[in-house]
């Protein structure tokens, strides 16, 4: 008997931040393996989702600023400055309207995250495709709400987060059913300021 096809999954690169502490769009930072944070992040998502990817941006003007290739679809926040929950909600709406069962989210400013890390999230999600799957940083432990898979079934609850006063995904997840996949903290290193770039790093 043939295996059932895996649920269709949309890869979403979150690149809508203002990069105020960095002083330049983080998407344009040079990556040690070649290209930029943007091109490296897109290649990483393509390795998992093929060409089923989009980039979440704050606005059309932001698209030109980060130099997103015209061949890559972009999604824009319907309201400005409402934080990452807005990007998650907009992507889930797009996924639902286009036949996807969920979205695999990664931010543009995690240069050390690997393809294998994303595949481990996908494997866990395929076992339970109605459940949120998130990266759990190890040593120290910390939940990573923007590295994971959100099924379209949580779209309405994410909308309530967007419309709430706090707009916190952390608070939402504390009371929501989800599973986690352990990923070493070294591969979840977040780049926010020039000091975070540090010495050359291993991106394999």
């Amino acid at each position: 008997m043939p295996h059932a096809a895996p649920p269709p999954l949309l890869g979403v690169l979150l690149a809508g931040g203002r990069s105020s502490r960095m002083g330049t769009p983080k998407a344009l930072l040079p990556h040690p393996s070649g290209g930029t944070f943007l091109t490296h992040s897109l290649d990483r998502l393509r390795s998992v989702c093929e060409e089923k990817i989009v980039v979440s941006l704050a606005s059309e003007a932001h698209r030109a600023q980060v130099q997103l290739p015209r061949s890559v679809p972009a999604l824009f926040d319907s309201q400005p400055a409402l934080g990452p929950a807005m990007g998650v909600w907009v992507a889930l709406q797009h996924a639902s309207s286009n036949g996807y069962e969920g979205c695999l989210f990664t931010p543009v400013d995690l240069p050390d995250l690997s393809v294998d890390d994303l595949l481990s999230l996908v494997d866990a999600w395929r076992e339970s495709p109605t459940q949120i799957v998130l990266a759990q940083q190890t040593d120290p432990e910390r939940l990573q709400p923007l590295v994971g898979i959100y099924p379209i079934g949580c779209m309405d609850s994410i909308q309530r987060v967007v419309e709430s006063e706090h707009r916190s995904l952390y608070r939402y997840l504390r009371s929501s059913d989800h599973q986690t996949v352990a990923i070493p903290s070294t591969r979840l290193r977040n780049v926010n300021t020039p000091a975070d770039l540090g010495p050359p790093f291993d991106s394999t």
Side-chain angles (χ1 to χ4, degrees):
M1 181 180 239
H3 293 291
L9 189 65
L10 178 68
V12 183
L13 180 63
L14 297 167
R18 290 178 292 178
S19 303
S20 55
R21 285 183 288 170
M22 181 60 69
T24 190
K26 288 182 277 187
L28 300 183
L29 293 171
H31 196 281
S33 66
T36 63
F37 275 31
L38 174 66
T39 58
H40 182 81
S41 298
L42 289 174
D43 288 344
R44 184 172 59 204
L45 270 178
R46 284 192 185 99
S47 296
V48 178
C49 299
E50 299 177 340
E51 294 300 321
K52 304 178 186 71
I53 58 173
V54 296
V55 176
S56 174
L57 297 170
S59 65
E60 181 69 47
H62 194 199
R63 176 178 187 145
Q65 186 182 31
V66 303
Q67 300 176 18
L68 183 67
R70 286 288 171 183
S71 59
V72 179
L75 302 176
F76 305 109
D77 292 351
S78 56
Q79 297 180 60
L82 292 187
M86 171 61 78
V88 171
W89 180 48
V90 169
L92 286 170
Q93 292 178 82
H94 178 82
S96 178
S97 297
N98 288 275
Y100 295 99
E101 294 296 322
C103 296
L104 168 62
F105 292 95
T106 62
V108 75
D109 58 0
L110 295 181
D112 302 313
L113 193 66
S114 73
V115 171
D116 284 345
D117 294 329
L118 300 188
L119 289 173
S120 66
L121 293 168
V122 173
D123 287 343
W125 180 70
R126 285 177 176 167
E127 294 294 321
S128 182
T130 61
Q131 192 175 38
I132 297 171
V133 179
L134 300 170
Q136 175 78 42
Q137 175 181 302
T138 60
D139 192 28
E141 285 195 0
R142 178 177 174 152
L143 195 64
Q144 296 288 336
L146 300 183
V147 182
I149 299 173
Y150 288 74
I152 60 171
C154 67
M155 183 169 57
D156 290 345
S157 57
I158 296 295
Q159 179 181 2
R160 290 193 289 273
V161 173
V162 171
E163 294 173 347
S164 68
E165 181 180 357
H166 53 78
R167 299 190 299 276
S168 171
L169 287 173
Y170 279 109
R171 185 177 297 185
Y172 161 71
L173 292 164
R174 282 202 298 266
S175 59
S176 300
D177 182 35
H178 66 272
Q179 60 173 310
T180 60
V181 172
I183 296 178
S185 57
T186 53
R187 294 208 295 276
L188 290 167
R189 182 175 69 94
N190 181 263
V191 174
N192 284 314
T193 69
D196 293 332
L197 291 170
F201 50 83
D202 181 9
S203 62
T204 56

